[in-house]
Amino acid sequence: MAYAEKRGSGKRPWRARYKKPDGTKGSEPGFRTKVAAEDWGEDQEAEIRAGTWIDPDLMRVHFGVFARKFMAERQKRGRTNGTRWDRLDAYILPKWEHTPLIGMTWFDVDSWQMLLPCEDVTRGHCVSLMSTILTAAVDARHLKVNPLYGRRRTAAVVSTPTIVKPRRSDEDGAHSPEDVLRVADRMGPAKGLNVITTAFTGINWGEGQGLHRDACLRTRRQRWGSGWFECPTLRVVQEVAEYEERGPAGEKLGTVLRLEPTKNEWRERDLDLPPFLERMWRYHLADWPYEWVLSTESGKWWRRSNWGKQIRPAADGRSAREKRQGVSARKKWEPIAPGMTMRSLRHLHDSLQAQIGVKAPLEFEQAGHKRPGIKGVYQHPTPEMRQERLDGLEEIFWGAMRNLGWTTLWGRVDLVKHTENHDRLPSDSQLIYMEDRSRTRDRHQSRSEAV
């Protein structure tokens, strides 16, 4: 039975006493009258009997304390975990670390997010992460309800910017296949193949880095009419993540590069290669001596910052430099596709699929996206869909080559500079790279004929 005790002679001298589920005595001070203290204690015991009671002490745990417990016990993929810690450190904890869980309200959180000095998408991610943590607090019986659940954020006040920011090229959709080929040609065979593969398959950065030799030029084989449809593929089953490793309390342990599973089950897929890209990959694998086929010249995974040093001057241009002691000369490069990134190349691939009318089941599959709705369950890619997509991408590539007046990329098929310890390719590989389109098309069609 709950009861009240008087402690001192201040304005709130009464405290409630009640029996907790484990048999110990609970205490809550700060009541003006004996009746108020008794009523509060009886409410607690009623909730205990109903199985809905939440310990008031747990409700008063600071958000920062519970957020660190959540991060330590609900580990995600390394990159996701690092991004969550970045949001917490930069935006969330400076404001909410010492706020009791029970003291958090939607009004306060919504007002705070409107003024965050970041992009609106980042504001949304911060609020979403906070809501996830508070839902975990409900599950851990620290709160009765999540005050952020299901609420729509208020848009930030629109003001006239003092500086007009240039639009990013991936937002404009400005890249063309000709841009891709010109940038790839500047970067050289091995790095250029990375650019072309991303634009014509939609493979993302981490997936490309995690592409192992054993996953390359596998064969897709499906029944087609009275025979079989076959095409070469790149199999995506893992990716390389670059992130700031964190300890249990969020302490920084340094940046790492690690293999991880794909982001979700739809990202694990086989990417169909059109004939021109198959041929590039065959030459590349014949020449490339390392297991990681889109790696650096020493066979290690690229760091994003180091890759940026390769693609930025190739896409954005660079100034000329005269030769001097310790520094080689270089010629000036005019801009080709300012702002081009591997992400914008992935966007280009999705745009090309729409341009050539790739059917939805295949479009979502090749991009590694989950198709929403019941059609995502009922519809599947057919060999006819695959052939139509490959023909469309092949035509886009050769159309770009014609527009540029090119018949070869890099002027050769030899993909790396040879050293004394590296044998040259077989003589039959020393052909012009894109020698005769008709032969390539004939070879491609013969593969699809009934056997």
Side-chain angles (χ1 to χ4, degrees), residues 294-352:
L294 293 179
S295 59
T296 67
E297 294 176 355
S298 59
K300 298 180 180 180
W301 295 319
W302 283 100
R303 290 190 178 272
R304 289 177 181 267
S305 58
N306 289 338
W307 177 256
K309 296 175 182 177
Q310 307 298 317
I311 195 172
R312 288 275 55 80
D316 300 347
R318 71 183 184 191
S319 59
R321 183 175 65 193
E322 295 183 0
K323 184 177 180 180
R324 60 182 187 274
Q325 185 175 2
V327 178
S328 60
R330 70 180 185 192
K331 64 179 181 179
K332 180 180 179 180
W333 280 350
E334 296 295 335
I336 294 175
M340 177 184 283
T341 64
M342 302 304 279
R343 181 182 179 184
S344 66
L345 291 172
R346 180 168 160 82
H347 288 192
L348 172 62
H349 168 257
D350 214 36
S351 300
L352 294 180

Side-chain angles (χ1 to χ4, degrees), residues 391-431:
D391 290 342
L393 293 177
E394 184 80 359
E395 181 59 38
I396 287 174
F397 172 80
W398 284 107
M401 292 289 284
R402 286 195 304 271
N403 292 338
L404 294 171
W406 292 359
T407 58
T408 178
L409 276 170
W410 309 298
R412 58 188 176 88
V413 297
D414 208 357
L415 298 183
V416 294
K417 293 181 179 180
H418 294 284
T419 64
E420 295 179 357
N421 297 324
H422 187 62
D423 296 333
R424 294 192 63 81
L425 288 173
S427 57
D428 60 350
S429 293
Q430 304 301 320
L431 304 171

Side-chain angles (χ1 to χ4, degrees), residues 47-87:
E47 290 181 3
I48 290 171
R49 289 192 296 272
T52 60
W53 179 74
I54 303 293
D55 190 336
D57 291 337
L58 295 181
M59 291 184 181
R60 288 190 284 265
V61 169
H62 289 176
F63 177 84
V65 173
F66 187 81
R68 289 183 171 85
K69 174 182 174 65
F70 170 86
M71 292 298 296
E73 297 182 7
R74 298 291 180 92
Q75 291 288 320
K76 303 289 282 186
R77 296 164 68 251
R79 179 72 177 173
T80 303
N81 207 53
T83 300
R84 284 182 165 183
W85 272 117
D86 291 342
R87 303 279 187 260

